[in-house]
Amino acid sequence: MPSASVLATKQARVAELEEKLKGAVSFVLVDYKGITVADDTALRRNLREANVEYFVEKNTMLKRALNNMGMTDFDEVLNGTTAIAISTDDQTAPARILGEFAEKSENFKLKAGCVEGEYFDEKKILALSKIPSKDVLLAQLVGSLQGPIQKLAALLQAVVDKNGEAA
């Protein structure tokens, strides 16, 4: 039986994890075993630039925090080495960055994740990782809306030029 101070420390850590997970719009669990320090440093830099918090956590702590939140689907993937990436503002950022890294590294594996409270298994996380970032999607939307307007303006200008009228 652990001492009262050790138990209190562990309970505080579980409560801290719960708060982080409750405030997240998405998170992804990964098996990071076998990656080099240089690769890990580059991965952490990319995640930090995307405003994603990434850290290694004990499986028992994660399991307790997730179970306290009613998320028992993660129990089967919480084994081996586990790191977690948490985003509070972009639903696809953790999956996108970690998925891209997993494709390049044979040892790095996506385990599972959660987006807006919904459980995503490895296949769904991999599919989510293929979706472009929110900024890219908005730029594509603006581009697709801008195209017809530009064509209309060019057509009207051609009519004006043909008739020789001044605007």
Side-chain angles (χ1 to χ4, degrees):
M1 184 79 182
S3 68
S5 63
V6 171
L7 190 58
T9 303
K10 288 181 178 183
Q11 288 172 339
R13 180 62 185 156
V14 169
E16 181 184 338
L17 281 170
E18 276 184 68
E19 287 302 312
K20 285 183 180 187
L21 295 173
K22 285 178 183 174
V25 293
S26 69
F27 63 86
V28 176
L29 302 173
V30 296
D31 181 353
Y32 63 91
K33 183 175 62 178
I35 65 170
T36 65
V37 173
D39 287 343
D40 187 54
T41 303
L43 175 63
R44 288 175 185 267
R45 185 179 334 103
N46 290 341
L47 289 165
R48 211 174 12 258
E49 288 171 359
N51 202 24
V52 175
E53 185 178 1
Y54 178 79
F55 55 93
V56 173
E57 189 57 64
K58 289 184 175 182
N59 290 321
T60 54
M61 298 293 180
L62 278 172
K63 185 176 181 177
R64 287 183 191 264
L66 290 165
N67 286 344
N68 288 349
M69 295 170 55
M71 298 179 163
T72 57
D73 295 330
F74 293 95
D75 290 355
E76 62 189 42
V77 297
L78 288 173
N79 51 46
T81 55
T82 303
I84 185 169
I86 301 173
S87 177
T88 56
D89 57 356
D90 187 350
Q91 291 85 350
T92 63
R96 190 177 60 254
I97 295 167
L98 294 172
E100 182 180 309
F101 187 81
E103 286 179 358
K104 296 175 186 174
S105 174
E106 62 186 48
N107 296 327
F108 193 84
K109 304 282 187 247
L110 299 173
K111 288 185 173 186
C114 179
V115 177
E116 301 282 341
E118 183 181 339
Y119 174 80
F120 279 49
D121 62 7
E122 180 185 359
K123 289 180 183 177
K124 286 183 180 178
I125 288 293
L126 194 56
L128 182 66
S129 73
K130 307 292 184 207
I131 296 174
S133 70
K134 183 178 179 181
D135 294 336
V136 171
L137 288 173
L138 288 174
Q140 289 174 347
L141 175 65
V142 169
S144 67
L145 293 175
Q146 192 176 25
I149 294 171
Q150 286 177 333
K151 287 180 183 177
L152 176 63
L155 178 66
L156 292 175
Q157 185 63 44
V159 169
V160 168
D161 291 344
K162 182 179 178 187
N163 294 334
E165 298 177 16

